[in-house]
Amino acid sequence: MKTRHRTAGFSLIEVMCAILILGIGLVGLTQGITTALSSSKESELQTTAALIAAGRIETLRAEGYLMDGESEGECGAGLSLYRWKQSVTSTTIDGLHEVEVVVQNSKSGQAIYELRTLLFDPPIFSTLDESSSRRDSARSKRKERRQR
């Protein structure tokens, strides 16, 4: 009588190879997820910084006048990670100012976003019924602001 050896199941080497392949696949998957999450967080930081910078420029427009100089500040309780610095400088064209807003990480001081634009001083409109003394007063106020 012949005895036959039946080989059923997996050998130890086959099991070890399968575990190795699965382990490499899981490491790749976790690396991919980690990269996606960090990219998402970086995108959120950039978007928030861009909105803060645009908001600072819109605030300057809404104030109705521009004064040359530098200023800085915090972004508030909900945005404690950010701080901003802005500089307004005159150009060679009368009434035109270059505005630069830099949003930084408040902990590291590293610049996250920088926005530059040119803004005009809003013109002083006069109506026909307005007296010349009012116009002169408005002009002198504007000159005062520029000299500060």
Side-chain angles (χ1 to χ4, degrees):
M1 233 198 236
K2 282 186 173 179
T3 52
R4 243 190 197 173
H5 294 291
R6 295 185 79 188
T7 54
F10 299 101
S11 70
L12 181 61
I13 293 178
E14 292 171 331
V15 170
M16 288 177 61
C17 287
I19 290 173
L20 179 68
I21 291 170
L22 284 173
I24 291 172
L26 287 176
V27 167
L29 182 65
T30 55
Q31 285 287 350
I33 290 171
T34 304
T35 302
L37 289 174
S38 66
S39 294
S40 174
K41 186 64 177 172
E42 182 65 26
S43 174
E44 179 186 349
L45 289 173
Q46 287 283 331
T47 301
T48 305
L51 290 172
I52 291 168
R56 290 300 313 153
I57 289 177
E58 290 303 319
T59 300
L60 287 174
R61 283 187 182 140
E63 287 175 350
Y65 61 91
L66 295 169
M67 291 191 316
D68 290 350
E70 294 185 3
S71 58
E72 60 183 54
E74 300 289 326
C75 295
L79 300 170
S80 61
L81 180 63
Y82 306 95
R83 55 181 295 105
W84 54 267
K85 290 183 180 180
Q86 75 183 24
S87 69
V88 179
T89 55
S90 295
T91 62
T92 55
I93 300 172
D94 188 36
L96 183 65
H97 299 271
E98 181 179 0
V99 179
E100 177 184 19
V101 178
V102 178
V103 179
Q104 300 174 331
N105 183 322
S106 62
K107 293 177 184 170
S108 68
Q110 181 182 6
I112 299 172
Y113 192 81
E114 182 178 324
L115 184 61
R116 292 181 181 192
T117 190
L118 295 172
L119 293 177
F120 272 109
D121 266 332
I124 299 174
F125 293 106
S126 62
T127 60
L128 294 176
D129 62 341
E130 185 177 61
S131 68
S132 64
S133 63
R134 281 180 143 176
R135 281 184 292 219
D136 293 340
S137 173
R139 286 186 185 129
S140 66
K141 284 181 183 177
R142 179 174 279 172
K143 284 182 184 177
E144 251 180 61
R145 283 189 229 130
R146 287 187 183 153
Q147 289 174 356
R148 284 188 213 163

